[in-house]
Amino acid sequence: MYVAVKGGEKAIDAAHQLLAEARRGDPSIPEISTNQIEEQLSLGVDRVMNEGSLYDRGFASLAIKQARGDMIEAIFLLRAARTTLTRFGYALPLDTAQMQIRRRISAAFKDLPGGQILGPTFDYTHRLLEEVLVPEPAKEAPQPILADVPKVLGLLGSEGLIELEFASDQPVGDITQDPPSFPMSRDQRLQSLARGDEGFLLSLAYSSQRGFGRTHPFAGEIRLGEVEVCFIPEELGFEIVIGEMTVTECEMINQFKGSGNTPPQFTRGYGLTFGHCERKAMSMALVDRALRAGELGEERSAPIHDEEFVISHADNVQATGFVEHLKLPHYVDFQSELLLLRQLRQDKDRAE
Amino acid sequence: MSGPHYNFAYLNEQTKRMIRRAILKAVAIPGYQVPFAAREMPMPLGWGTGGVQVTAACLTAEDTLKVIDQGADDTTNAVSIRKFFVKTANVATTEQTEEATIIQTRHRFPETPLKENQILVYQVPIPEPLRFLEPRETETRKMHALEEYGVMHVKLYEDISRFGEIATAYAYPALVNDRYMFDPSPIPKFDNPKLDQSPALQLFGAGREKRIYAIPPYTKVKSLDFEDYPFTLPTWEKPCAICGSKTSYLDEILTDDQGGRMFVCSDTDYCRKNQVAK
């Protein structure tokens, strides 16, 4: 007699065992440490922290190791760990104007107060595979780290050529505490983009450059460096510095034809990421600007203009979960479809 | 480096409180989709995180939990979710429907009738019954607010004119308490009548879509149909090949590559009890 093949529990245990072995790889090769990942795969760590929405290099490195280098899996691990952490309040807004700058470029001006600082970038490397990657001793003393460098867009603002931005007195939204609803406010949108998939935002941004929702952007300023994180504990009642974090900030300058009472002027798109995630910060700034089309009275014609489409599909933890859930059994629904299909075919045969 | 500390049933108490508030609202407005700030759970979104969060928010140390997927207790995802709660909440578990106080399910309503003081928690992939007719949440919320469900009736009508019958076999839309149209999650339409006037509390959690909805005990659930094309149930030509049940939902199992097949209960607990009774 037939007995249904089940044994899910045994199969899962065996699969976990195989996974552990596959993760370790050839045991004759030394095991990689999380410190090595943190130090030597640091951009990967940065990406995982961003999309995992948790600034913790140690956890992110562990996640990358545990995920065998699968970044979305690592991001997912970090998000799940984040869920369990105690929340004790909101930090004050970061003051990126006070950043200790390691890299700062503007594509809008050749030279400007504070200067252009390339810093650690792949930009002008020749992409040739090299077997030896040990740094040569520096020929010159490294550039001093700069603080208090004026924002490029602030320089334009003084002429009235770019829209001004004002601090809102509304409380800042928190997409991790309140479910998103559409239409979104810009703060919620930026939060969603900050944890959005780098590849998805990159492709959307690219699509707008190729004519699907043109935004005419200039990289006004990209800066990388360390900022202080300040917090007001309730029992103290005044601001204290609780730490420092590395961030990348991108401010895009975009053309705007003007409408109604508004004269033509430049508008802004904004991107901010944990660590050194320049591609992501730039993509985010382009998508942010494109999603402002409605607010600025522009035509919304391209996918990048569609807030609900962009925001609902930018989260790779959500996306990978739902795509991959197709691996789960669907016997029951499939059976329903089989029954229906047979019924429909019978009906059709009878009718003929 | 040590990992984070885990609270009872994984979620911290503030999160559980937030989810419980959403559940209370959902119970107060049967069938209405209550937005809630779903968290990332340590299993993938789309694999039952909504159900897991609802279960975590309802679970107490005295509860007895049953987890099924496709009607069965030992499908891989059911095993995984049950293990998760054993690990994080150390709760008693059972495979017996009548012993459970909370049953988390994916794609089925158990064959054994439920009782009062049982909670059935559904895992929901797409909570919005109108989603495939109108992709925008902004629109569908308006349609629910205005009780504007004509588009679904048109869809069902089009099915009839094209196929001679309503061609929806699972996730079959129904009306709760004569007001909100809802998606019973992808259970086969075979199960829809069991939702009607059920003594158990039915909670639906959609994690990725951040929605919770509910059917309180003894609430009317009416599957959509037309007077001249009433709602019908699928039938099988043969009873379950293992227990002989003629009333349960049967899975089709291919036994060879020559077209051999057999039909067996998808509800493994129910099937086993029938065998014992024989």
Side-chain angles (χ1 to χ4, degrees), chain B residues 241-259:
Chain B
I242 296 177
C243 78
S245 171
K246 289 175 185 149
T247 55
S248 78
Y249 190 91
L250 303 181
D251 277 344
E252 181 167 339
I253 289 167
L254 305 183
T255 50
D256 55 38
D257 58 1
Q258 311 294 314

Side-chain angles (χ1 to χ4, degrees), chain A residues 339-348, chain B residues 163 165 167:
Chain A
L339 287 172
L340 175 66
L341 194 58
R342 284 182 184 136
Q343 181 67 41
L344 293 176
R345 290 173 65 103
Q346 268 177 19
D347 293 350
K348 189 162 179 284
Chain B
F163 304 116
E165 62 183 286

Side-chain angles (χ1 to χ4, degrees), chain A residues 165-192:
Chain A
E165 276 188 346
F166 302 97
S168 162
D169 52 0
Q170 297 294 311
V172 177
D174 182 346
I175 58 160
T176 68
Q177 297 291 295
D178 306 306
S181 65
F182 298 105
M184 274 186 164
S185 55
R186 191 173 175 205
D187 49 344
Q188 292 173 315
R189 216 158 55 200
L190 285 168
Q191 284 171 30
S192 304

Side-chain angles (χ1 to χ4, degrees), chain B residues 7-8 10 23 25-26 34 42 46 57 78 80-81 83-84 99 118 157 185 187-188 229-230 258 276:
Chain B
N7 193 29
F8 175 80
Y10 193 74
I23 291 172
K25 185 168 177 183
V34 182
S80 161
I81 290 172
K83 271 188 165 177
F84 171 74
E99 276 181 10
Q118 285 186 311
Y157 169 78
S185 85
I187 57 173
Y229 282 88
Q258 311 294 314
V276 171

Side-chain angles (χ1 to χ4, degrees), chain A residues 45-123:
Chain A
V45 172
D46 287 347
R47 177 173 177 197
V48 170
M49 291 197 304
N50 263 305
E51 294 167 41
S53 295
L54 184 68
Y55 195 92
D56 189 316
R57 305 195 73 82
F59 275 179
S61 305
L62 178 58
I64 291 172
K65 180 177 173 181
Q66 193 176 327
R68 305 172 61 194
D70 177 337
M71 298 308 255
I72 293 183
E73 181 68 22
I75 288 159
F76 174 23
L77 283 167
L78 205 60
R79 289 263 192 100
R82 183 188 195 279
T83 294
T84 67
L85 301 178
T86 310
R87 306 172 67 93
F88 57 91
Y90 294 97
L92 295 170
L94 299 178
D95 186 357
T96 50
Q98 297 302 318
M99 181 187 285
Q100 305 278 312
I101 287 176
R102 285 191 281 138
R103 166 168 168 78
R104 187 260 198 151
I105 55 167
S106 171
F109 298 101
K110 185 174 182 190
D111 200 6
L112 62 169
Q116 308 252 19
I117 306 161
L118 281 184
T121 178
F122 292 119
D123 284 354

Side-chain angles (χ1 to χ4, degrees), chain A residues 347-352:
Chain A
D347 293 350
K348 189 162 179 284
D349 287 349
R350 253 194 306 260
E352 281 164 9

